[in-house]
């Protein structure tokens, strides 16, 4: 068993680095067409082929990781945040490969690969030890529900990438009208959020490399079956300096950082998700580090990041990007409907003896489904094409990510095990 798990870890690292090289080759394919001595079309074709082969090898390594971890753990590796986010990254590459086979858009790889890299790097933040399945997860419906829901989310991710590409392609940074400036600011805000995610990953691994530690005892109230209250202390460990300590807690030990040897603030009481204090502290650190990183990038570029990226998309037909975004979502919607709703309700009835219980994760899965239902209705019946459709694709993926990550921060529920 340990041999399988060790091999799976090596395959995971191989997949990550192959994705990084694949992204680099996509950058050369798209960005190098202007300085290459070759015909631009031949340059894109040549390096695009190299990039696709490299990213496909990354997907192959990712599949090896998935199945060897399955063999080593004895259950499908989708039962916690490390395993599910790893699976989501792999599913995004599967979705990208399918869409690439249809449209042969090299440029899509320059946006889909970074998204995969971020998801895989984000997965690495979580504990990688194999955890035994809780009884509710020990079902064949774990394989069916989680994999189909994750694959649907993956197609939504590709739709998001194409939608963002469309917005950057049609943005005219020379236009100084109020509407154009407002659109540019919103695009820049999306890029700012992406930079924050990058900073989050960098910050986590930086403090992990420093071996930073802080521990707290949080007083918890438990109500038994007879309605009687009892209190106990829960230990919460931080790997980042605590700007926000857990609600209703006291310091056990804390490493000093930049002269700060005690928490600055307390996490709001209404954040009662799994380890909400630690997660909120991480969010705050990510925003601070992301703002600093974004400021440095702006200082280097001396213009908005969107204005730097937009020229790379010259010569690309925006209608093709619009079609790719729509087609990705159109493929993902029925898959998500099956996995995120129908199979989920069947499993809920088996595990908890009810099809629907208004659990926070269930509610947000429904919100996600309703949002993409509205997207398809507005596009097909109301003619929402172009910018409006692209913005819906971008906003929709924000809803997806809040469903997968944000709910665990704010709200405790039956799906809280996935936040561990």
């Amino acid at each position: 068993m340990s041999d399988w798990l060790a091999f799976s870890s090596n395959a995971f690292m191989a997949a990550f680095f192959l994705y990084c090289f694949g992204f680099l080759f996509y950058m050369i394919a798209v960005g190098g067409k202007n300085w290459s001595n070759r015909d631009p079309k031949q340059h894109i074709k040549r390096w695009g082929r190299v990039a696709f082969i490299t990213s496909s090898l990354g997907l192959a390594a990712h599949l090896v990781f998935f199945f060897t971890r399955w063999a080593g753990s004895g259950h499908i590796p989708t039962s916690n945040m490390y395993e599910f986010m790893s699976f989501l990254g792999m599913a995004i590459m599967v979705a990208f490969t399918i869409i690439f086979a249809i449209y042969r858009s090299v440029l899509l790889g320059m946006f889909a690969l970074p998204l995969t890299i971020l998801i895989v790097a984000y997965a690495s933040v979580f504990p990688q030890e194999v955890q035994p399945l809780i009884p509710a997860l020990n079902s064949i419906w774990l394989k069916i529900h989680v994999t189909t829901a994750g694959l649907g989310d993956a197609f939504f991710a590709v739709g998001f990438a194409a939608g963002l590409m469309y917005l950057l392609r049609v943005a005219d940074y020379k236009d100084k009208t109020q509407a154009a400036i407002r659109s540019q600011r919103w695009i820049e805000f999306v890029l700012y959020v992406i930079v924050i995610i990058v900073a989050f990953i960098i910050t986590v691994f930086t403090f992990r490399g420093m071996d930073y530690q802080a521990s707290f005892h949080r007083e918890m109230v438990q109500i038994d079956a007879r309605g009687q209250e009892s209190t106990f202390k829960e230990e919460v460990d931080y790997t980042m300096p605590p700007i926000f300590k857990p609600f209703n807690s006291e310091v056990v030990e804390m490493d000093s950082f930049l002269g700060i040897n005690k928490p600055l603030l307390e996490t709001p009481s209404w954040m009662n998700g799994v380890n909400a204090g630690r997660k909120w502290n991480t969010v705050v650190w990510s925003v601070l580090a992301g703002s600093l990183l974004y400021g440095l990038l702006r200082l280097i570029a001396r213009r908005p990041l969107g204005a730097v990226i937009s020229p790379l998309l010259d010569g690309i037909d925006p209608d093709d990007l619009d079609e790719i975004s729509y087609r990705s979502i159109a493929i993902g919607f029925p898959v998500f409907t099956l996995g995120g709703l129908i199979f989920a309700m069947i499993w809920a009835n088996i595990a908890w003896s009810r099809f629907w219980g208004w659990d926070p994760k269930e509610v947000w899965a429904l919100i996600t489904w309703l949002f993409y239902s509205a997207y398809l209705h507005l596009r097909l019946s109301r003619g929402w094409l172009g910018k409006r459709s692209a913005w819906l694709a971008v906003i929709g993926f924000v809803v997806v990510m809040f469903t997968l990550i944000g709910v665990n921060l704010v709200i405790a529920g039956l799906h809280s095990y996935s936040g561990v």
Side-chain angles (χ1 to χ4, degrees):
M1 180 180 295
S2 59
D3 292 339
W4 282 117
L5 295 177
F7 189 78
S8 72
S9 297
N10 293 332
F12 183 82
M13 291 302 298
F16 177 77
F17 284 110
L18 285 167
Y19 289 152
C20 290
F21 282 117
F23 170 59
L24 177 62
F25 293 146
Y26 276 117
M27 287 284 291
I28 294 174
V30 175
K33 66 180 184 294
N34 295 325
W35 44 261
S36 173
N37 293 326
R38 294 174 174 268
D39 176 66
K41 291 184 178 179
Q42 290 298 322
H43 174 87
I44 293 175
K45 183 177 180 180
R46 178 190 178 190
W47 282 101
R49 186 185 300 115
V50 173
F52 181 74
I53 291 173
T54 305
S55 60
S56 296
L57 289 173
L59 176 59
H62 210 151
L63 287 166
V64 170
F65 155 78
F66 181 78
F67 288 108
T68 52
R69 187 175 176 90
W70 191 342
S73 64
H75 59 78
I76 188 170
T78 56
S79 61
N80 54 45
M81 283 299 285
Y82 167 70
E83 293 178 343
F84 178 76
M85 297 308 293
S86 301
F87 172 79
L88 180 61
M90 183 180 72
I92 291 173
M93 281 305 300
V94 171
F96 161 71
T97 303
I98 293 172
I99 298 299
F100 184 88
I102 298 173
Y103 292 99
R104 300 290 179 177
S105 175
V106 172
L107 188 63
L108 183 61
M110 199 175 76
F111 284 77
L113 262 295
L115 188 59
T116 301
I117 291 168
L118 286 176
I119 295 291
V120 170
Y122 176 71
S124 302
V125 169
F126 294 93
Q128 301 178 19
E129 295 79 10
V130 173
Q131 299 173 353
L133 287 178
I134 66 173
L137 293 180
N138 192 16
S139 168
I140 190 174
W141 290 101
L142 171 65
K143 305 178 182 67
I144 300 173
H145 156 59
V146 178
T147 54
T148 48
L151 187 58
D153 289 336
F155 277 101
F156 294 155
V158 176
F160 158 79
L164 181 58
M165 289 166 59
Y166 178 91
L167 293 172
L168 288 165
R169 171 64 182 84
V170 300
D172 183 3
Y173 282 86
K174 296 179 181 179
D175 189 350
K176 300 303 179 182
T177 63
Q178 186 176 358
I181 292 175
R182 183 168 58 249
S183 177
Q184 293 162 20
R185 286 175 177 172
W186 278 112
I187 293 172
E188 198 68 13
F189 177 75
V190 174
L191 296 176
Y192 168 68
V193 172
I194 293 173
V195 171
I196 286 177
I197 296 172
V198 174
F200 156 73
I201 295 167
I202 294 172
T203 303
V204 168
F205 283 103
T206 298
F207 282 114
R208 184 177 293 179
M210 295 168 58
D211 196 27
Y212 183 89
Q213 294 290 332
S215 298
F216 301 87
H217 277 159
R218 181 187 179 193
E219 188 169 309
M220 303 287 290
V221 177
Q222 187 175 34
I223 303 176
D224 60 22
R226 294 175 294 179
Q228 295 181 342
E229 291 187 359
S230 60
T231 60
F232 67 96
K233 288 188 176 181
E234 175 189 54
E235 184 169 341
V236 181
D237 296 322
Y238 279 35
T239 55
M240 288 184 177
I243 298 174
F244 282 87
K245 70 172 185 175
F247 176 74
N248 196 24
S249 67
E250 58 185 21
V251 177
V252 177
E253 62 174 331
M254 176 179 166
D255 294 342
S256 178
F257 178 74
L258 297 178
I260 301 174
N261 51 20
K262 65 178 181 179
L264 301 179
L265 299 165
E266 186 175 63
T267 302
S269 60
W270 50 267
M271 287 188 175
N272 59 356
V274 176
N275 293 323
R278 185 176 64 194
K279 292 178 183 178
W280 177 241
N281 187 68
T282 304
V283 168
V284 173
W285 266 108
S286 302
V287 172
L288 293 174
S291 298
L292 178 61
L293 178 59
Y294 176 80
L296 290 174
L297 292 174
R298 284 291 301 267
L299 186 63
I300 294 170
R302 296 185 178 181
R303 52 181 172 162
L305 300 185
V308 177
I309 300 172
S310 183
L312 298 175
L313 308 182
D314 288 345
I316 303 297
D317 188 349
D319 291 337
D320 289 344
L321 297 176
D322 184 51
E323 172 67 17
I324 291 172
S325 180
Y326 159 68
R327 190 64 60 187
S328 300
I329 292 173
I331 294 173
F333 182 75
V335 178
F336 181 82
T337 301
L338 285 172
L341 291 183
I342 297 175
F343 294 155
M345 289 190 290
I346 294 173
W347 188 15
N349 186 56
I350 294 173
W352 300 313
S353 301
R354 88 291 188 278
F355 288 101
W356 188 263
W358 297 105
D359 181 72
K361 190 75 77 172
E362 297 174 19
V363 172
W364 276 92
L366 177 61
I367 291 172
T368 301
W369 184 83
L370 290 173
F371 184 92
Y372 282 105
S373 298
Y375 166 90
L376 294 173
H377 170 74
L378 291 171
R379 184 177 178 98
L380 298 175
S381 300
R382 301 292 183 178
W384 279 35
L385 307 176
K387 276 190 176 182
R388 290 187 291 186
S389 178
W391 274 117
L392 287 177
V394 170
I395 296 170
F397 192 63
V398 173
V399 175
V400 169
M401 295 310 294
F402 183 81
T403 303
L404 295 178
I405 301 171
V407 170
N408 289 331
L409 170 65
V410 180
I411 312 167
L414 292 172
H415 289 75
S416 292
Y417 53 77
S418 64
V420 179

